[in-house]
Amino acid sequence: GAGVSQSPRYKVAKRGQDVALRCDPISGHVSLFWYQQALGQGPEFLTYFQNEAQLDKSGLPSDRFFAERPEGSVSTLKIQRTQQEDSAVYLCASSLDTGHQPQHFGDGTRLSIL
Amino acid sequence: AQSVTQPDIHITVSEGASLELRCNYSYGATPYLFWYVQSPGQGLQLLLKYFSGDTLVQGIKGFEAEFKRSQSSFNLRKPSVHWSDAAEYFCAVGTGKLIFGQGTTLQVKP
């Protein structure tokens, strides 16, 4: 497609369940980013891939969060043993590279943990 | 520490009036600066970016921003606001990993 696609758009899970969020970046985009946006806040960086290599995961809040991009295109963000504080919108962005090219964002996945 | 501050949490302007949204940043190197807009339930749309060169940059939807290194600012402006401009605006800084401000909610009065 023309833009970054994220699925599902909405996800409700019970505390303790595992969830998986998917991101399809723009075709040909080398760089892929995940951000977490809490209600009323700006997005906060989680992790970054260049092709299939995860070059920065400094923003992942705990070892319950795991991201992968095995073939350098689609990426999955997995959260294990979800907690209520994980409730947020998870945004994915992609760019041609990490130099002068801006990031293009998907519409996000709104995750609610009950 | 790298950070972005948007001092105004909420701004209300009348339709047709001018607009200025403030952004101040703290960044160790020459910054790449961005303004994004977010409508409810949507992702972020890039309005404009500054990498180097002319400090006054033009963006989409009639927006412009001015980079002032001496003030560590990158304020967003529009001469005449339209009702459809009501949204959340985010200033961001970075190369690759972006650091965002808290956002400014713009309300437009008819």
Side-chain angles (χ1 to χ4, degrees):
Chain A
V4 177
S5 178
Q6 292 188 246
S7 61
R9 286 296 316 277
Y10 304 92
K11 177 69 177 177
V12 179
K14 293 182 179 179
R15 188 165 56 94
Q17 290 183 329
D18 298 347
V19 298
L21 312 180
R22 176 188 170 103
C23 173
D24 279 275
I26 294 172
S27 178
H29 278 196
V30 168
S31 299
L32 185 145
F33 304 82
W34 284 97
Y35 294 86
Q36 181 190 59
Q37 186 177 22
L39 190 63
Q41 303 295 317
E44 291 192 355
F45 171 80
L46 293 176
T47 187
Y48 154 58
F49 290 86
Q50 185 168 315
N51 295 306
E52 70 278 5
Q54 189 175 20
L55 298 186
D56 187 345
K57 54 182 181 179
S58 61
L60 295 177
S62 75
D63 58 7
R64 297 186 294 106
F65 286 70
F66 173 76
E68 59 183 5
R69 194 186 185 198
E71 297 179 358
S73 56
V74 171
S75 178
T76 303
L77 176 66
K78 298 179 180 178
I79 309 174
Q80 297 176 325
R81 304 181 303 282
T82 53
Q83 304 293 319
Q84 282 196 321
E85 61 263 29
D86 299 336
S87 296
V89 174
Y90 291 84
L91 295 167
C92 177
S94 70
S95 67
L96 278 171
D97 61 33
T98 54
H100 290 73
Q101 300 303 318
Q103 295 176 27
H104 300 265
F105 283 80
D107 286 341
T109 294
R110 181 175 295 278
L111 176 63
S112 298
I113 305 300
L114 306 179
Chain B
Q2 300 171 351
S3 66
V4 175
T5 301
Q6 294 180 245
D8 305 303
I9 302 298
H10 190 277
I11 282 183
T12 300
V13 300
S14 298
E15 190 169 16
S18 64
L19 171 71
E20 182 170 32
L21 302 182
R22 296 183 290 165
C23 172
N24 293 97
Y25 67 89
S26 173
Y27 197 76
T30 301
Y32 289 179
L33 293 155
F34 307 85
W35 274 99
Y36 284 88
V37 61
Q38 186 178 38
S39 297
Q42 303 294 311
L44 282 74
Q45 180 184 21
L46 180 69
L47 287 176
L48 47 76
K49 61 186 184 291
Y50 172 78
F51 292 146
S52 64
D54 192 348
T55 56
L56 184 64
V57 293
Q58 302 297 319
I60 63 171
K61 303 184 180 185
F63 286 92
E64 66 178 26
E66 186 171 12
F67 170 58
K68 293 185 177 180
R69 185 185 300 275
S70 61
Q71 299 178 19
S72 297
S73 70
F74 188 57
N75 294 350
L76 181 71
R77 300 194 294 248
K78 186 170 185 178
S80 178
V81 170
H82 187 263
W83 63 267
S84 60
D85 293 325
E88 187 88 13
Y89 291 80
F90 292 96
C91 179
V93 64
T95 57
K97 165 184 172 180
L98 293 180
I99 299 166
F100 286 86
Q102 190 173 4
T104 298
T105 301
L106 173 65
Q107 183 179 0
V108 180
K109 292 190 300 185

